[in-house]
Amino acid sequence: MATKIRLLALDMDGTTLNEDKEISSENRQWIQRALDAGVMVMFATGRPLQEVLSYKEELGLQTPMVLLNGSEVWSQTGECIERHFLNHDDLIELHHLAVKYGTWFWGYTMDGQVNKNTFKDEFLANEWMKFGIHSHDRGIIQEIRELIKGWNRLEVTSSNLNNIEINPKGVTKASGVKVIGKLFGIDMDQVMAIGDSLNDAPLVAEAGLGIAMGNAEDALKQIADGITESNEKDGVAKAIEKYLF
């Protein structure tokens, strides 16, 4: 192998998955080659557990996972070993902003996903791990993003140009991967990370080898160590082949 990478952290949407939300045969083949070479391959995603398990099973992964942009870290044996919640006052303010601007919103609680259509006021008393805001008006998204960043007490990222994803301060995919690294004695310079969006930026920046997809946002490409093909052209497979072998 060309590098001393011991852990490969993969984003899902826009990265490992194509636009049909499938894992291509080429990606499966090279992920298996990485596993066979002794590299730990794991998902680091904004998705919740119930939206990851079928893909993990498809790949035969017996590895940890970083979910909800780092708000949950799961062990290889299926136990949640770390979980972070938004402050209740922040949650109320985030919901107020979403309502004020008339945007779509969603989030994840211990009871599952909540969105604008299923929301009830009493849900604000629950523990929320992640809050999201979406609008087709990018001007509104930018305005809300700047407002929340101005509070300086939350982690503000996105999975596409039309949304904002909010986690507790300091909680990112990178922080989650570091938890896994400590458990297995893997340093960040032994991590390769592949992603496409701003919620991947902390991990791509801190990993020993950070790779941006060909379809990634320009801001991510600027901080990445390398750029691979798009998710429609087996970019994950191409990156594994080029940088690990």
Side-chain angles (χ1 to χ4, degrees), residues 106 130 157-161 163-165 196-199 217:
W106 78 99
K130 175 182 168 183
T157 62
S158 66
S159 56
N160 64 62
L161 295 174
N163 78 18
I164 307 168
E165 298 186 351
D196 72 307
S197 300
L198 292 183
N199 62 359
E217 294 184 38

Side-chain angles (χ1 to χ4, degrees), residues 6-134:
R6 296 177 59 198
L7 189 158
L8 173 59
L10 298 174
D11 173 49
M12 294 184 66
D13 297 283
T15 301
T16 307
L17 307 183
N18 60 26
E19 295 308 305
D20 292 325
K21 305 302 181 185
E22 297 171 339
I23 303 174
S24 71
S25 58
E26 191 79 1
N27 281 349
R28 284 199 304 271
Q29 175 188 335
W30 281 95
I31 287 170
Q32 186 59 53
R33 287 194 62 173
L35 290 167
D36 291 343
V39 177
M40 178 187 292
V41 181
M42 56 172 281
F43 287 129
T45 176
R47 287 183 176 224
L49 180 66
Q50 59 268 31
E51 295 179 13
V52 176
L53 289 178
S54 63
Y55 295 104
K56 185 179 181 183
E57 181 178 343
E58 178 182 346
L59 292 172
L61 298 180
Q62 302 294 322
T63 53
M65 298 179 291
V66 173
L67 308 179
L68 299 174
N69 291 343
S71 277
E72 286 189 340
V73 180
W74 288 75
S75 73
Q76 72 274 24
T77 56
E79 300 169 309
C80 186
I81 56 178
E82 189 165 296
R83 184 176 278 131
H84 301 272
F85 298 106
L86 291 163
N87 176 279
H88 279 110
D89 290 338
D90 289 335
L91 174 62
I92 290 169
E93 288 196 55
L94 291 169
H95 175 254
H96 173 75
L97 276 180
V99 172
K100 176 183 175 181
Y101 283 88
T103 65
W104 176 262
F105 65 87
W106 78 99
Y108 297 97
T109 74
M110 291 292 292
D111 298 320
Q113 187 187 57
V114 175
N115 62 44
K116 184 177 182 179
N117 290 340
T118 62
F119 178 80
K120 297 179 182 179
D121 287 339
E122 55 262 36
F123 291 168
L124 290 176
N126 294 347
E127 300 276 20
W128 291 56
M129 294 166 281
K130 175 182 168 183
F131 192 93
I133 297 173
H134 178 277

